[in-house]
Amino acid sequence: MKKWFHRQNKWIRTAILATAGMTAATIAAAVVLFLFIVIQGPPSLVTEQNTIYYSNDGKVIEEDFGNQRRYWVDLKGISPHLIEATLVIEDRNFYDHAGFDLKRIIAAVLTNIRNLEKAEGASTITQQYARNLYLSHEKTWLRKGKEAIYALRLEMFYDKEEILAGYLNTIYYGHGAYGIEAASRYYFDKHADELSVPEAAMLAGIPKGPSYYSPFNNEENAQFRQKQILASLEASGYLDEKEAELASKEALTYKKTEEVEVPDIAPYFQDVVAQEAMSILDINREELTAGGYHIYTTLDIKSQKLLDKAFQERLSKSSSIQAAGMAMDPDTGAIVALKGGRNYEESPFNRVTQARRMVGSTIKPFLYYQALSSGFTPTTQLVSKPTTFELEDGKTYAPSNFDGYYADAPITMAQALALSDNIYAVKTNVFLGPDKLVDTLRKFGIRGDIPAVPSLALGTASLSLYDMTAAYSRLANANEKIDPHAIRKITDRHGHVLYEFEEPEGEGKINEKRAFLTAHMMTGMFDSSLDGYMSVTGSPIADRLTRQYAGKSGTTNTDSWMIGFSPELVTGIWTGYDESENITSVKEYRYAKNMWADFMEASHNGKSPQTLSAPDGVVGAYVDPETGNLATPYCENQRLMYFSEGKEPREYCNLHMHEDFNLPDQDKGEERGWKKVLEWLF
């Protein structure tokens, strides 16, 4: 309060002088005005500023201009030459008046009466700032009255430095540049604190008439105005005669006015950021654009460029097929790269977040996760052959494998996942009950309409790539609380933190052991040892992969998916036609897998290989994929598989038995499993 009264001294002294000789009624009116201003309180200093987006390493990736360029810098971020030049030309008595200059107002009024017009010329910096913040620029006495009241309110409740900083950050310098920082960048391609004396004098002259004094519009007028300001700086003692003369003769180098088109970095990602920010701050798009926010995103520029490259190199330019991709950190949920289509300018529709497409077999890992809780193990066998299912409503359902091949024999769940066998999947879904799969999908955060029907096991639900990739991330991390997010932090233009992402504490309801077992089975799509009667679904890209990945592809007549992860990165890719045209060629079906492989390998290049880490309560055993039993040294194909402790296979493969081989003692339960098998092998 003491500071507030101290700030009013100058205003009060001015008021006393102004009321000298006034009538009692006039003085009473002045008191009422004073009380009105006090009751109104401090006016808001908020004004439009550019919202700026940053990548995860702090680099600017975009500035959301709207229709105007705006920045905010403190006085210490502005050249003292510019500050002094502005004061001498706009308001020499700025630090001495209480918001308006009575002598200048009286002189201006007399001039207006003499010329029979409402001319400008008496406004102080405080009045101009008030006009910029709250009023229009129309030349009426009513507006001038409002301007004076706002100016008084500003002077009452804010320091001179705050007012001057606000003015310099909001005044218009022409060509869409509001504020001195925007003007400095636009005219000279430098920051406001780097301006020289002649540059400062040039810019200080523009606000009086931006179209008339802009050097880009009329260099002669601009130079005349600059010399006036330099002369005023000399008269005030800020410059000596020689300094003023040298400054007036110095040739200025302007920034080229031609706009260079620079491709936006991750425009689809930026749309996701904008939606997320509007939700967090509870504001609309216009408020976000002009709010001057600093939004620190999760975008990894290198990852985004690798994703862009995969799209560019793999998708045929002669095809109109579309694609979408999203990559995220499974530990935090941070989205590191996102591409919602082939070309944002041609189609800003975001196929990651906005499209709902049939997900095909990418849904199967969640089915088998649920099966593991119902007595299934990775080696549980079901017969794969053409099967007709009788439904509760009396109808029948006869699914088929995508390529028409069947084992016509028992296969394990691990094989079924690697080969994407549809018969095994539907049998499992019918056995468990489709409602169980719906519940599991909800547990993994998948939204939307999910029909509880037998065909759900084949991915007949239409879901978003965003939700599916997020669900795979929760599977990779065994934590349902991991949510995808594109924003790390939001501050206002002064650096005050408005929002900061906090990693969720604890784990959700996803079972860590079952999640690991499912993920390890998903590595089988790249493993030829799980072949039985046909190629695993990842065979077209398996020879290009240099480390362990867990993944699942999905195909329908109109969609092709590939989603998978390493311990460090989860990536989902979708391809298809916007109008749901059928995909007719093998090449187009393989776009998703090829882009996924390109991106994952490039993203991990140079990093130490990591493998999935088995949690406590899980044991490994070398298994013969064909029989699902413990392998012997004579089994040609052997694969290390994992099981919940106590559910590992108990019997040894006898299909590839050699007459000279004696089975180990199977009564020693503690000796069963992979440790015993290693003893035989080595």
Side-chain angles (χ1 to χ4, degrees), residues 406-425:
Y406 303 88
D408 290 321
I411 60 172
T412 66
M413 184 162 69
Q415 280 180 307
L417 187 56
L419 304 170
S420 202
D421 190 273
N422 288 341
I423 304 303
Y424 193 109

Side-chain angles (χ1 to χ4, degrees), residues 50-53 60-66 69-71 185 264 270 289:
N50 296 345
T51 288
I52 303 176
Y53 299 86
V60 175
I61 58 175
E62 183 63 32
E63 297 186 33
D64 202 346
F65 293 118
R69 292 173 172 81
R70 296 177 183 267
Y71 306 88
R185 296 190 193 188
D264 285 339
Q270 290 183 41
T289 297

